[in-house]
Each structure stands twice: as structure tokens, then as C-alpha cells.
Amino acid sequence: MKLGLDIGGTKTAAAIVHTDGRLAVLRTRASGHGPDAVVRVAASLALEAVAAAGTTTAGLSFIGACMPGLVDRESGLVSHAVNLGVERLDLAGRLGAALDQPVAVDNDVKTAALGAHHLLDQRNTDGTLAYLNIGTGLAAALVRNGEVLRGSDGSLGEIGHLPMGGDAVCKCGQRGCLETLVSGSALERMWPPGGSGRPHGRNPFVAADNGDTSAAAAGAQLSAGLFLAVQMLVLTTGADRIVIGGGLTRLGGDLSTALAREIEQRARASEFVASLNLASRIELVPADLPVAALGAAMLQHGPLPTPQRPSGVPA
């Protein structure tokens, strides 16, 4: 069996996967904030999942982990994971030490793209699949002909930090980033928790239908921002298929309907937009499908870093 760890901006997931890709065990927990807490939560959750599977880390054939930020796959270093309070972290070394096994690491969205490709697109390895992750932040990744594209420094796909206009301050330090228009953090800013008691939960589209004007404005902004992200991916990558995942997909059909309406309105106003056939390229991943954790279990890519045992810990 293999272990895949997905360290997200809000939640960490640990998946034990059989070699044929079947999920054996899944455990989740709120993510830690800051380097020490990130590693502590991930390691503890991994050991819990391993125990539930009736094995040990030594009995696993592979361990992979992913998290947001810029990831150097060879060294295992992660930098600029701003939503987790991490500026620099030796994720492979520290997790490897905690689990006493080598750990391969990669960016979470690229890993989710790999998982989505294997789970949803196994019959079609040709063309380009774009995975758009709408979680605490916003980012994308591309799988072309079965391979994840990375760019020279691993930043390919970080579309959430493209300034699109507006005054909202992004966690990256810029203003008006796409992430400030469409993401979980954007929704919280535009439609803060609490308010009038939120009788309709955290679904701005349902609340808007019941007369909440601030929810209606937030839903409209989310729809417009999501349209921009989809259009940008099609125009810059030529993606045949756009798979949308991440925490906001919990909105399910309401989000799909809002995006479809936005696309229809834009297409009516522009023959160019209509010619892109955006609606036919889009698919939402169910929020409970752990594509990033499953993708992390498939990350094997050559020699893995040797775990660095902390001083004072006996061999």
C-alpha cells in the first residue's frame, strides 16, 4: 500500500491507497499553521491512517505529500505557502524524519491534477487537462499527454496571483489578484461568517435566492471570477477539459449553475466567447473526492530524499 498526504490551506488529508489505486483508508484534520504545526499535524494524521490500515510506515511501498506554494521536488523544500504561514520548509526532510521513511513532495494543485487525470480521464491521455483548484486560495495545474507541466521554477499555474484589478489586498502582497475575486478567502471577505445568523449555511447562492443582498453580490463576484479563470486557462493553454476542484466545490450544483449562467451571458454578448464552447469543457470534482491525496500516492519520480533524523533521536 501507498500513503498520500494532502496538506491544504484549511484541511489535511491522509489516504492509504492500494497499488491498483483503490482507496483503503482516508483520515482528515484541520491543518496546522506555521512550519512546525504543519509537519506535526501531517505526521500525526499519517500515523493514524497507517494504523487504521493495519500496517506501519515501514510496510508501505511509497509515501508522497503535497502542499501549496513553490515546491522543489528534488530537494523537498517548500516556499511561499502563504495560506499556511510557511515561508520556507524542508517538508521532505522533516516529514521523512517523523515517519522514518523517505517522502516525495510536490505542489498540491499539481498533485490534484495528477489525481484527477488518473481518476477521471484514464481513457484519454491525449490533449490537455487543466485542473482549477478553488480552495482557500486559487491555482491551476496542467496535465498534457499524461504528464504534469511545471515550468522552469514550478510556478506554472499560479494564476491566482495574476492582478486583475480592484483594491483587495492578496496574501501574496499584491492588490487585486484573481484569488481575491474567486476563492474561499474571497468569499469570507465579501460575505463574512456570522452576519444575520446565516440560516442558509455558507452557500451564497441559496442565501441570495432568499433575499440576502450581500450574498447575491458575493455570488456574482465568485461567478465572474470563476469565468475569468476558466477563460484564461482555455486561451493560454488550449485545455480540452477543465476540471474544477477544491473546497468551494461543496457548493455543488449551485456553483455549476451560476457559472453556466455567467458563461451564457458572456457568450450572448460576444461571438468570440461563444466560439470557445466553455461550458462543454468544464467538470466539477465532488468535494468529498480526495484527488490531491490520491495524486500524492502516485508521485514516485526517482530517488527520494533521505530522511534527516533530528539530533538526539536514536536510530
Side-chain angles (χ1 to χ4, degrees):
M1 293 187 287
K2 303 178 180 182
L3 167 64
L5 285 165
D6 169 27
I7 304 169
T10 302
K11 178 181 70 175
T12 294
I16 303 293
V17 181
H18 292 286
T19 52
D20 62 3
R22 289 181 297 115
L23 180 65
V25 173
L26 179 66
R27 293 289 186 271
T28 62
R29 190 179 300 170
S31 296
H33 190 80
D36 293 341
V38 163
V39 173
R40 182 174 63 251
V41 169
S44 173
L45 194 63
L47 293 174
E48 179 183 318
V50 167
T55 185
T56 65
T57 56
L60 299 172
S61 62
F62 178 75
I63 301 176
C66 63
M67 66 180 285
L70 300 181
V71 179
D72 184 325
R73 297 193 305 150
E74 301 307 317
S75 67
L77 293 175
V78 179
S79 57
H80 309 305
V82 293
N83 290 320
L84 282 163
V86 170
E87 181 57 33
R88 183 176 174 84
L89 171 63
D90 179 7
L91 183 63
R94 293 188 59 179
L95 260 185
L99 301 178
D100 202 25
Q101 294 294 327
V103 178
V105 302
D106 208 337
N107 169 268
D108 63 335
V109 180
K110 290 178 174 60
T111 302
L114 182 64
H117 170 74
H118 280 279
L119 287 170
L120 306 176
D121 214 31
Q122 295 184 54
R123 292 167 296 180
N124 178 23
T125 58
D126 297 326
T128 301
L129 179 148
Y131 179 82
L132 180 61
N133 189 80
I134 319 171
T136 306
L138 177 76
L142 303 175
V143 179
R144 180 168 294 156
N145 301 327
E147 296 290 332
V148 178
L149 303 185
R150 303 180 182 280
S152 60
D153 61 357
S155 63
L156 189 151
E158 292 290 340
I159 65 171
H161 298 299
L162 283 171
M164 303 295 288
D167 294 327
V169 178
C170 182
K171 290 184 178 180
C172 75
Q174 301 184 98
R175 288 181 179 271
C177 288
L178 185 56
E179 184 172 297
T180 67
L181 305 179
V182 53
S183 64
S185 56
L187 178 60
E188 289 200 2
R189 187 192 76 252
M190 295 184 291
W191 191 51
S196 57
R198 296 289 183 260
H200 308 293
R202 292 298 299 152
N203 188 324
F205 303 109
V206 173
D209 288 342
N210 285 274
D212 188 326
T213 55
S214 62
Q221 185 66 81
L222 281 178
S223 303
L226 186 51
F227 168 83
L228 290 175
V230 168
Q231 184 185 40
M232 181 189 307
L233 286 172
V234 169
L235 293 178
T236 57
T237 72
D240 310 282
R241 188 173 184 184
I242 297 177
V243 179
I244 301 175
L248 280 191
T249 58
R250 63 179 170 75
L251 299 175
D254 293 320
L255 182 63
S256 296
T257 298
L259 177 58
R261 287 174 179 166
E262 186 75 22
I263 292 172
E264 182 180 358
Q265 291 172 3
R266 304 263 187 160
R268 282 202 304 265
S270 167
E271 291 185 7
F272 171 70
V273 171
S275 71
L276 298 176
N277 296 314
L278 296 179
S280 67
R281 307 183 192 220
I282 298 169
E283 179 176 352
L284 258 67
V285 175
D288 59 352
L289 191 62
V291 288
L294 293 172
M298 305 173 187
L299 280 178
Q300 202 147 9
H301 50 68
L304 302 182
T306 301
Q308 299 300 309
R309 189 177 299 279
S311 58
V313 177

